Amino acid sequence: MNPWELLGKTRTPAGDEMALMLRSGEYVILASGKTLMSSRMHGSEEALAALGCGDARHLPHPVVLVGGLGMGFTLRATLDLLPRTATVVVAELVAGVVDWNRGPLGPLTEHPLRDQRVHVEVDDVNAVLRASQGRFDAVLLDIDNGPDAFTTEGNDWLYNDGGLATIRAALRGRGTVAVWSAFQDMKFEQRLRWAGFQVQTERVRARLSKGGPKHVIFCGTMTADAPPAGSTRRGRLEAARKL
């Protein structure tokens, strides 16, 4: 078996090491020594784009946020779905990952960062969302292994009531949030509903071909009776007790 070739190393703002490896045509990104993603399994990333952009793709000038660049598969699928008049904002915390996508990873996805529709913000997706009131028609999140974040502990907030309220405030119209996960999470589904989303959960293949593990896409669409921005489940329960 051929040995792994180290193509690059970088660090997250928190100081955790990430590495890009190559062996026999397969690219792997490691985070703190653990496999974060592989170029051989990207079917679920493409499903994330398809489900999350189901409505936005039909709009005349959609604006979509892709949270987490990874190897660029979600971004490529998003660009392929959206019209030429779209704007796609990519929020990537690690500048080194952006560099890898402009370099050795670029040919995997036909260099999506060269597309004029793409605007990269090297920043925490939480910060981008907070600064984006009513900006997006769809928010696609693939920044951890799922709602039980293991790559960046600070992302736990994003999947809780406060984070979901921030996502809701960043959406416009009947906007959609889609979240990639390696596993099912019934509690997160319920939090999405409490936050005012109509929820659809899909189990999808990690690989494009048959076989291999299945991943989960949580898809929430804004409902007409969504609670006011800034409200929380605790606040609504307290208000209900006073009636």
Side-chain angles (χ1 to χ4, degrees):
M1 182 178 292
N2 295 329
W4 285 100
E5 176 186 358
L6 176 64
L7 298 182
K9 285 186 177 181
T10 190
R11 287 191 178 275
T12 69
D16 298 319
E17 184 177 86
M18 299 181 71
L20 175 63
M21 312 292 292
L22 171 65
R23 184 176 69 184
S24 302
E26 178 186 10
Y27 293 86
V28 169
I29 292 180
L30 303 177
S32 300
K34 299 178 181 179
T35 298
L36 182 60
M37 63 191 71
S38 165
S39 62
R40 290 186 177 175
M41 292 193 293
H42 53 86
S44 56
E45 284 83 352
E46 296 180 13
L48 173 69
L51 290 167
C53 295
D55 292 333
R57 63 187 298 185
H58 300 296
L59 299 174
H61 300 281
V63 181
V64 174
L65 173 65
V66 175
L69 178 57
M71 292 185 175
F73 290 110
T74 299
L75 176 59
R76 166 46 59 199
T78 299
L79 292 170
D80 289 345
L81 287 166
L82 297 179
R84 298 303 304 175
T85 54
T87 298
V88 181
V89 178
V90 177
E92 172 53 55
L93 181 65
V94 183
V97 172
V98 178
D99 293 337
W100 293 342
N101 276 268
R102 288 185 171 135
L105 292 176
L108 282 176
T109 53
E110 301 178 6
H111 298 281
L113 293 184
R114 296 178 182 176
D115 194 303
Q116 294 184 350
R117 293 172 290 176
V118 176
H119 302 269
V120 178
E121 298 191 22
V122 181
D123 201 350
D124 188 337
V125 68
N126 299 332
V128 175
L129 286 164
R130 287 189 178 109
S132 302
Q133 184 90 10
R135 181 182 182 187
F136 301 114
D137 298 293
V139 170
L140 315 180
L141 297 178
D142 184 6
I143 53 175
D144 286 293
N145 259 18
D148 187 11
F150 103 87
T151 307
T152 307
E153 291 184 3
N155 288 339
D156 290 346
W157 168 86
L158 187 60
Y159 306 110
N160 290 327
D161 289 351
L164 293 177
T166 299
I167 292 171
R168 195 178 69 241
L171 291 169
R172 61 188 183 188
R174 283 184 54 80
T176 298
V177 57
V179 179
W180 184 97
S181 179
F183 44 83
Q184 182 62 271
D185 189 329
M186 298 299 291
K187 291 182 179 179
F188 180 65
E189 278 190 55
Q190 186 59 47
R191 284 198 297 272
L192 275 171
R193 292 190 177 93
W194 273 102
F197 292 99
Q198 181 178 344
V199 181
Q200 173 187 2
T201 303
E202 297 286 344
R203 290 180 60 82
V204 297
R205 291 284 183 187
R207 295 188 178 93
L208 292 176
S209 58
K210 293 182 179 180
K214 284 190 174 183
H215 295 152
V216 178
I217 308 297
F218 301 100
C219 193
T221 301
M222 289 278 288
T223 59
D225 57 347
S231 67
T232 64
R233 175 174 44 177
R234 178 179 296 177
R236 293 194 300 275
L237 287 174
E238 290 177 351
R241 294 191 186 102
K242 294 177 180 179
L243 296 178

